[in-house]
Amino acid sequence: MMRLMPLLRNATKHVGSWPPSSVDGQMSAVRVINSSTQQCFAPLETQSSTCSDPDYPKVLITGGLGQLGFGLARFLRKRYGKSNVILSDIKKPSYHVYQSGPFIFSDILDRKRLEEIVVNNNIDWLVHYAAVLSADGERNVSLAREVNVTGVHNILDVATKHSLRVFVPSTIGAFGPSSPRDPAPDLCVQRPRTIYGVSKVHAELMGEYYHHRFGLDFRCLRYPGIISADSQPGGGTTDYAVQIFHAAIRSGCFECNLRCDSPLPMMYIDDCLRATLEILEAPAKALLSRTYNINAMSFTPYELAKEIQKVLPDFKITYKVDPVRQAIADGWPMALEDSAARRDWGWRHDFDLPELVHVMLTRIAIANQL
């Protein structure tokens, strides 16, 4: 653990302005400007107060207590104002979440309640994160089908009725064993073999149908595995890539539930949140598609462990393969081809594997010290 202390000391200088300057991934200005609305978007660190709240969209985030929901809410509140971003979920949030901004209890399976929230709060954009993830979905197919399919139908119907801009994420889970794997392009055979993947393909196609049939402003990104130090994994196949960092700091060893040679596409959460903001703000005329791949890095558990050992030489990894998660991973792409996103709305990632390891170990170490 001694090798971690210089990293920690260096990072604590930057706690108030993360990421550290030593990481070539500092939060940059959003590169896409929405010219179709009268909004004055500035870099997050230098946001001007000249825009009043009505100049910004009112955003509702479903599944707001998951890995991405609260992170996106903090990100958007810095940009649009605290009161303009509402979190919703079916769980009781922590005191910290309550203090950070508006929260509403809402079940996406209750369409009437969802519509009341949209109307009563004058919602403009709806970000739909509520879902049952891949490994959990295989353990409870009926719940995954209800939440991931019926919930999406409610979201699309309410968004269409009230002319909302709606974002529904998809993932690498939307691909299957017959898809091209290295890399998987935006358009190809998909045919996933998990209920999670089937529901994501369904959401992609329904959203595109509603766009062409009813004019719904539907936007979708296929996320890689998302890695964050600030939230716990939520039942997905890529969870090991978050758990490994906590184990490295806590005990110096980790038992991985995937084979050492299982490559999967991954992304640090800051890149993911920025990509989500950029696709939401992109002018509609720039979007030649409604569903885009985004990519950052790909690695195996072995490669990730070797990078961690550059900082923590005593770290050890062992393997106890979970056959359910391994079968899912074997059917997913090793990388995503994202040239369309880079061409149409200027997407690019900031974090590769070395930066990812640096920022994750530092953040977790700081959190443990505090």
Side-chain angles (χ1 to χ4, degrees), residues 31-57:
R31 291 177 284 271
V32 180
I33 303 299
N34 186 346
S35 60
S36 63
T37 58
Q38 295 180 351
Q39 298 171 346
C40 44
F41 296 141
L44 292 179
E45 318 89 296
T46 58
Q47 180 81 24
S48 169
S49 60
T50 57
C51 290
S52 60
D53 280 356
D55 292 313
Y56 294 105

PDB file of all heavy atoms in Angstrom, residues 31-57:
ATOM      1  N   ARG A  31     -18.496  20.280 -26.009  1.00  0.00           N
ATOM      2  CA  ARG A  31     -18.083  20.706 -27.336  1.00  0.00           C
ATOM      3  C   ARG A  31     -19.244  20.882 -28.311  1.00  0.00           C
ATOM      4  O   ARG A  31     -19.045  21.242 -29.456  1.00  0.00           O
ATOM      5  CB  ARG A  31     -17.073  19.686 -27.884  1.00  0.00           C
ATOM      6  CG  ARG A  31     -15.766  19.721 -27.144  1.00  0.00           C
ATOM      7  CD  ARG A  31     -14.829  18.655 -27.660  1.00  0.00           C
ATOM      8  NE  ARG A  31     -15.208  17.350 -27.186  1.00  0.00           N
ATOM      9  CZ  ARG A  31     -14.775  16.832 -26.043  1.00  0.00           C
ATOM     10  NH1 ARG A  31     -13.986  17.517 -25.275  1.00  0.00           N
ATOM     11  NH2 ARG A  31     -15.139  15.625 -25.675  1.00  0.00           N
ATOM     12  N   VAL A  32     -20.437  20.565 -27.847  1.00  0.00           N
ATOM     13  CA  VAL A  32     -21.572  20.671 -28.749  1.00  0.00           C
ATOM     14  C   VAL A  32     -22.520  21.723 -28.217  1.00  0.00           C
ATOM     15  O   VAL A  32     -22.911  21.683 -27.072  1.00  0.00           O
ATOM     16  CB  VAL A  32     -22.314  19.320 -28.859  1.00  0.00           C
ATOM     17  CG1 VAL A  32     -23.494  19.436 -29.800  1.00  0.00           C
ATOM     18  CG2 VAL A  32     -21.366  18.247 -29.368  1.00  0.00           C
ATOM     19  N   ILE A  33     -22.886  22.675 -29.020  1.00  0.00           N
ATOM     20  CA  ILE A  33     -23.790  23.737 -28.627  1.00  0.00           C
ATOM     21  C   ILE A  33     -25.130  23.520 -29.311  1.00  0.00           C
ATOM     22  O   ILE A  33     -25.213  23.292 -30.512  1.00  0.00           O
ATOM     23  CB  ILE A  33     -23.233  25.120 -29.035  1.00  0.00           C
ATOM     24  CG1 ILE A  33     -21.843  25.320 -28.420  1.00  0.00           C
ATOM     25  CG2 ILE A  33     -24.168  26.224 -28.613  1.00  0.00           C
ATOM     26  CD1 ILE A  33     -21.825  25.296 -26.917  1.00  0.00           C
ATOM     27  N   ASN A  34     -26.192  23.590 -28.530  1.00  0.00           N
ATOM     28  CA  ASN A  34     -27.525  23.417 -29.074  1.00  0.00           C
ATOM     29  C   ASN A  34     -27.989  24.755 -29.626  1.00  0.00           C
ATOM     30  O   ASN A  34     -28.437  25.620 -28.898  1.00  0.00           O
ATOM     31  CB  ASN A  34     -28.472  22.915 -27.976  1.00  0.00           C
ATOM     32  CG  ASN A  34     -29.845  22.588 -28.522  1.00  0.00           C
ATOM     33  OD1 ASN A  34     -30.180  22.961 -29.630  1.00  0.00           O
ATOM     34  ND2 ASN A  34     -30.628  21.886 -27.714  1.00  0.00           N
ATOM     35  N   SER A  35     -27.878  24.915 -30.916  1.00  0.00           N
ATOM     36  CA  SER A  35     -28.217  26.193 -31.535  1.00  0.00           C
ATOM     37  C   SER A  35     -29.703  26.354 -31.767  1.00  0.00           C
ATOM     38  O   SER A  35     -30.158  27.404 -32.191  1.00  0.00           O
ATOM     39  CB  SER A  35     -27.477  26.315 -32.875  1.00  0.00           C
ATOM     40  OG  SER A  35     -27.854  25.267 -33.740  1.00  0.00           O
ATOM     41  N   SER A  36     -30.477  25.292 -31.476  1.00  0.00           N
ATOM     42  CA  SER A  36     -31.908  25.374 -31.754  1.00  0.00           C
ATOM     43  C   SER A  36     -32.690  25.960 -30.591  1.00  0.00           C
ATOM     44  O   SER A  36     -33.882  26.193 -30.698  1.00  0.00           O
ATOM     45  CB  SER A  36     -32.453  23.973 -32.072  1.00  0.00           C
ATOM     46  OG  SER A  36     -32.310  23.127 -30.940  1.00  0.00           O
ATOM     47  N   THR A  37     -32.047  26.203 -29.426  1.00  0.00           N
ATOM     48  CA  THR A  37     -32.739  26.785 -28.291  1.00  0.00           C
ATOM     49  C   THR A  37     -31.955  27.970 -27.779  1.00  0.00           C
ATOM     50  O   THR A  37     -30.767  28.098 -28.010  1.00  0.00           O
ATOM     51  CB  THR A  37     -32.878  25.761 -27.150  1.00  0.00           C
ATOM     52  OG1 THR A  37     -31.585  25.324 -26.774  1.00  0.00           O
ATOM     53  CG2 THR A  37     -33.716  24.572 -27.576  1.00  0.00           C
ATOM     54  N   GLN A  38     -32.631  28.845 -27.047  1.00  0.00           N
ATOM     55  CA  GLN A  38     -31.975  30.027 -26.516  1.00  0.00           C
ATOM     56  C   GLN A  38     -31.393  29.702 -25.152  1.00  0.00           C
ATOM     57  O   GLN A  38     -31.881  30.127 -24.112  1.00  0.00           O
ATOM     58  CB  GLN A  38     -32.987  31.164 -26.415  1.00  0.00           C
ATOM     59  CG  GLN A  38     -33.490  31.614 -27.775  1.00  0.00           C
ATOM     60  CD  GLN A  38     -34.481  32.741 -27.663  1.00  0.00           C
ATOM     61  OE1 GLN A  38     -34.926  33.089 -26.592  1.00  0.00           O
ATOM     62  NE2 GLN A  38     -34.834  33.327 -28.792  1.00  0.00           N
ATOM     63  N   GLN A  39     -30.297  28.957 -25.148  1.00  0.00           N
ATOM     64  CA  GLN A  39     -29.650  28.550 -23.914  1.00  0.00           C
ATOM     65  C   GLN A  39     -28.197  28.991 -23.960  1.00  0.00           C
ATOM     66  O   GLN A  39     -27.548  28.901 -24.992  1.00  0.00           O
ATOM     67  CB  GLN A  39     -29.725  27.032 -23.730  1.00  0.00           C
ATOM     68  CG  GLN A  39     -31.171  26.536 -23.622  1.00  0.00           C
ATOM     69  CD  GLN A  39     -31.248  25.035 -23.657  1.00  0.00           C
ATOM     70  OE1 GLN A  39     -30.280  24.378 -24.024  1.00  0.00           O
ATOM     71  NE2 GLN A  39     -32.387  24.491 -23.280  1.00  0.00           N
ATOM     72  N   CYS A  40     -27.682  29.485 -22.821  1.00  0.00           N
ATOM     73  CA  CYS A  40     -26.303  29.975 -22.797  1.00  0.00           C
ATOM     74  C   CYS A  40     -25.445  28.964 -22.058  1.00  0.00           C
ATOM     75  O   CYS A  40     -25.256  29.070 -20.853  1.00  0.00           O
ATOM     76  CB  CYS A  40     -26.221  31.357 -22.142  1.00  0.00           C
ATOM     77  SG  CYS A  40     -27.170  31.542 -20.632  1.00  0.00           S
ATOM     78  N   PHE A  41     -24.950  27.959 -22.780  1.00  0.00           N
ATOM     79  CA  PHE A  41     -24.161  26.883 -22.183  1.00  0.00           C
ATOM     80  C   PHE A  41     -22.707  27.308 -22.105  1.00  0.00           C
ATOM     81  O   PHE A  41     -22.117  27.725 -23.093  1.00  0.00           O
ATOM     82  CB  PHE A  41     -24.274  25.610 -23.021  1.00  0.00           C
ATOM     83  CG  PHE A  41     -25.665  25.054 -23.064  1.00  0.00           C
ATOM     84  CD1 PHE A  41     -26.179  24.503 -24.230  1.00  0.00           C
ATOM     85  CD2 PHE A  41     -26.456  25.087 -21.931  1.00  0.00           C
ATOM     86  CE1 PHE A  41     -27.449  23.981 -24.251  1.00  0.00           C
ATOM     87  CE2 PHE A  41     -27.725  24.559 -21.945  1.00  0.00           C
ATOM     88  CZ  PHE A  41     -28.230  24.009 -23.119  1.00  0.00           C
ATOM     89  N   ALA A  42     -22.118  27.154 -20.931  1.00  0.00           N
ATOM     90  CA  ALA A  42     -20.710  27.478 -20.695  1.00  0.00           C
ATOM     91  C   ALA A  42     -20.036  26.269 -20.076  1.00  0.00           C
ATOM     92  O   ALA A  42     -20.705  25.354 -19.634  1.00  0.00           O
ATOM     93  CB  ALA A  42     -20.610  28.684 -19.744  1.00  0.00           C
ATOM     94  N   PRO A  43     -18.695  26.257 -20.051  1.00  0.00           N
ATOM     95  CA  PRO A  43     -18.019  25.164 -19.358  1.00  0.00           C
ATOM     96  C   PRO A  43     -18.511  25.052 -17.917  1.00  0.00           C
ATOM     97  O   PRO A  43     -18.811  26.047 -17.273  1.00  0.00           O
ATOM     98  CB  PRO A  43     -16.540  25.575 -19.405  1.00  0.00           C
ATOM     99  CG  PRO A  43     -16.444  26.471 -20.596  1.00  0.00           C
ATOM    100  CD  PRO A  43     -17.755  27.198 -20.658  1.00  0.00           C
ATOM    101  N   LEU A  44     -18.544  23.828 -17.389  1.00  0.00           N
ATOM    102  CA  LEU A  44     -19.122  23.608 -16.072  1.00  0.00           C
ATOM    103  C   LEU A  44     -18.375  24.366 -14.983  1.00  0.00           C
ATOM    104  O   LEU A  44     -18.971  24.847 -14.037  1.00  0.00           O
ATOM    105  CB  LEU A  44     -19.127  22.117 -15.757  1.00  0.00           C
ATOM    106  CG  LEU A  44     -20.077  21.286 -16.613  1.00  0.00           C
ATOM    107  CD1 LEU A  44     -19.976  19.833 -16.212  1.00  0.00           C
ATOM    108  CD2 LEU A  44     -21.512  21.754 -16.493  1.00  0.00           C
ATOM    109  N   GLU A  45     -17.036  24.482 -15.104  1.00  0.00           N
ATOM    110  CA  GLU A  45     -16.275  25.150 -14.061  1.00  0.00           C
ATOM    111  C   GLU A  45     -16.481  26.664 -14.097  1.00  0.00           C
ATOM    112  O   GLU A  45     -16.249  27.351 -13.129  1.00  0.00           O
ATOM    113  CB  GLU A  45     -14.772  24.866 -14.184  1.00  0.00           C
ATOM    114  CG  GLU A  45     -14.391  23.441 -14.517  1.00  0.00           C
ATOM    115  CD  GLU A  45     -14.319  23.221 -16.009  1.00  0.00           C
ATOM    116  OE1 GLU A  45     -15.353  23.348 -16.659  1.00  0.00           O
ATOM    117  OE2 GLU A  45     -13.223  22.937 -16.496  1.00  0.00           O
ATOM    118  N   THR A  46     -16.859  27.211 -15.247  1.00  0.00           N
ATOM    119  CA  THR A  46     -16.951  28.657 -15.409  1.00  0.00           C
ATOM    120  C   THR A  46     -18.368  29.082 -15.762  1.00  0.00           C
ATOM    121  O   THR A  46     -18.573  30.108 -16.374  1.00  0.00           O
ATOM    122  CB  THR A  46     -15.998  29.117 -16.528  1.00  0.00           C
ATOM    123  OG1 THR A  46     -16.340  28.435 -17.749  1.00  0.00           O
ATOM    124  CG2 THR A  46     -14.563  28.774 -16.167  1.00  0.00           C
ATOM    125  N   GLN A  47     -19.342  28.268 -15.346  1.00  0.00           N
ATOM    126  CA  GLN A  47     -20.731  28.553 -15.684  1.00  0.00           C
ATOM    127  C   GLN A  47     -21.114  29.951 -15.227  1.00  0.00           C
ATOM    128  O   GLN A  47     -20.978  30.311 -14.068  1.00  0.00           O
ATOM    129  CB  GLN A  47     -21.632  27.515 -15.007  1.00  0.00           C
ATOM    130  CG  GLN A  47     -23.107  27.699 -15.270  1.00  0.00           C
ATOM    131  CD  GLN A  47     -23.491  27.135 -16.611  1.00  0.00           C
ATOM    132  OE1 GLN A  47     -22.830  26.264 -17.137  1.00  0.00           O
ATOM    133  NE2 GLN A  47     -24.550  27.639 -17.170  1.00  0.00           N
ATOM    134  N   SER A  48     -21.628  30.739 -16.132  1.00  0.00           N
ATOM    135  CA  SER A  48     -22.061  32.093 -15.813  1.00  0.00           C
ATOM    136  C   SER A  48     -23.436  32.059 -15.167  1.00  0.00           C
ATOM    137  O   SER A  48     -24.254  31.201 -15.449  1.00  0.00           O
ATOM    138  CB  SER A  48     -22.098  32.934 -17.099  1.00  0.00           C
ATOM    139  OG  SER A  48     -22.742  34.162 -16.860  1.00  0.00           O
ATOM    140  N   SER A  49     -23.708  33.005 -14.298  1.00  0.00           N
ATOM    141  CA  SER A  49     -25.019  33.095 -13.662  1.00  0.00           C
ATOM    142  C   SER A  49     -25.953  34.018 -14.424  1.00  0.00           C
ATOM    143  O   SER A  49     -27.007  34.388 -13.939  1.00  0.00           O
ATOM    144  CB  SER A  49     -24.859  33.594 -12.223  1.00  0.00           C
ATOM    145  OG  SER A  49     -24.253  34.879 -12.217  1.00  0.00           O
ATOM    146  N   THR A  50     -25.578  34.417 -15.651  1.00  0.00           N
ATOM    147  CA  THR A  50     -26.403  35.342 -16.403  1.00  0.00           C
ATOM    148  C   THR A  50     -27.668  34.696 -16.926  1.00  0.00           C
ATOM    149  O   THR A  50     -28.614  35.374 -17.273  1.00  0.00           O
ATOM    150  CB  THR A  50     -25.611  35.926 -17.592  1.00  0.00           C
ATOM    151  OG1 THR A  50     -25.146  34.833 -18.405  1.00  0.00           O
ATOM    152  CG2 THR A  50     -24.427  36.718 -17.104  1.00  0.00           C
ATOM    153  N   CYS A  51     -27.693  33.356 -17.009  1.00  0.00           N
ATOM    154  CA  CYS A  51     -28.897  32.658 -17.444  1.00  0.00           C
ATOM    155  C   CYS A  51     -29.747  32.334 -16.232  1.00  0.00           C
ATOM    156  O   CYS A  51     -29.274  31.712 -15.298  1.00  0.00           O
ATOM    157  CB  CYS A  51     -28.541  31.351 -18.165  1.00  0.00           C
ATOM    158  SG  CYS A  51     -27.779  31.611 -19.756  1.00  0.00           S
ATOM    159  N   SER A  52     -30.987  32.745 -16.229  1.00  0.00           N
ATOM    160  CA  SER A  52     -31.895  32.361 -15.153  1.00  0.00           C
ATOM    161  C   SER A  52     -32.431  30.969 -15.414  1.00  0.00           C
ATOM    162  O   SER A  52     -32.326  30.441 -16.512  1.00  0.00           O
ATOM    163  CB  SER A  52     -33.050  33.370 -15.077  1.00  0.00           C
ATOM    164  OG  SER A  52     -33.760  33.402 -16.302  1.00  0.00           O
ATOM    165  N   ASP A  53     -33.033  30.366 -14.376  1.00  0.00           N
ATOM    166  CA  ASP A  53     -33.514  28.996 -14.489  1.00  0.00           C
ATOM    167  C   ASP A  53     -34.416  28.738 -15.688  1.00  0.00           C
ATOM    168  O   ASP A  53     -34.321  27.700 -16.316  1.00  0.00           O
ATOM    169  CB  ASP A  53     -34.233  28.584 -13.202  1.00  0.00           C
ATOM    170  CG  ASP A  53     -33.251  28.180 -12.107  1.00  0.00           C
ATOM    171  OD1 ASP A  53     -32.046  28.153 -12.383  1.00  0.00           O
ATOM    172  OD2 ASP A  53     -33.714  27.889 -10.992  1.00  0.00           O
ATOM    173  N   PRO A  54     -35.337  29.647 -16.036  1.00  0.00           N
ATOM    174  CA  PRO A  54     -36.199  29.372 -17.188  1.00  0.00           C
ATOM    175  C   PRO A  54     -35.458  29.225 -18.510  1.00  0.00           C
ATOM    176  O   PRO A  54     -36.020  28.736 -19.487  1.00  0.00           O
ATOM    177  CB  PRO A  54     -37.134  30.589 -17.213  1.00  0.00           C
ATOM    178  CG  PRO A  54     -37.141  31.110 -15.818  1.00  0.00           C
ATOM    179  CD  PRO A  54     -35.744  30.873 -15.323  1.00  0.00           C
ATOM    180  N   ASP A  55     -34.202  29.653 -18.574  1.00  0.00           N
ATOM    181  CA  ASP A  55     -33.425  29.510 -19.802  1.00  0.00           C
ATOM    182  C   ASP A  55     -32.957  28.078 -20.028  1.00  0.00           C
ATOM    183  O   ASP A  55     -32.443  27.761 -21.092  1.00  0.00           O
ATOM    184  CB  ASP A  55     -32.195  30.428 -19.773  1.00  0.00           C
ATOM    185  CG  ASP A  55     -32.569  31.890 -19.844  1.00  0.00           C
ATOM    186  OD1 ASP A  55     -33.395  32.233 -20.698  1.00  0.00           O
ATOM    187  OD2 ASP A  55     -32.038  32.672 -19.037  1.00  0.00           O
ATOM    188  N   TYR A  56     -33.117  27.229 -19.038  1.00  0.00           N
ATOM    189  CA  TYR A  56     -32.610  25.865 -19.105  1.00  0.00           C
ATOM    190  C   TYR A  56     -33.750  24.868 -19.169  1.00  0.00           C
ATOM    191  O   TYR A  56     -34.866  25.148 -18.717  1.00  0.00           O
ATOM    192  CB  TYR A  56     -31.732  25.576 -17.884  1.00  0.00           C
ATOM    193  CG  TYR A  56     -30.475  26.390 -17.846  1.00  0.00           C
ATOM    194  CD1 TYR A  56     -30.342  27.462 -16.966  1.00  0.00           C
ATOM    195  CD2 TYR A  56     -29.420  26.113 -18.706  1.00  0.00           C
ATOM    196  CE1 TYR A  56     -29.183  28.223 -16.939  1.00  0.00           C
ATOM    197  CE2 TYR A  56     -28.259  26.859 -18.684  1.00  0.00           C
ATOM    198  CZ  TYR A  56     -28.140  27.912 -17.797  1.00  0.00           C
ATOM    199  OH  TYR A  56     -27.000  28.653 -17.774  1.00  0.00           O
ATOM    200  N   PRO A  57     -33.476  23.663 -19.685  1.00  0.00           N
ATOM    201  CA  PRO A  57     -34.518  22.636 -19.704  1.00  0.00           C
ATOM    202  C   PRO A  57     -34.807  22.122 -18.297  1.00  0.00           C
ATOM    203  O   PRO A  57     -33.933  22.090 -17.436  1.00  0.00           O
ATOM    204  CB  PRO A  57     -33.889  21.531 -20.570  1.00  0.00           C
ATOM    205  CG  PRO A  57     -32.415  21.715 -20.409  1.00  0.00           C
ATOM    206  CD  PRO A  57     -32.215  23.192 -20.301  1.00  0.00           C
TER     207      PRO A  57
END
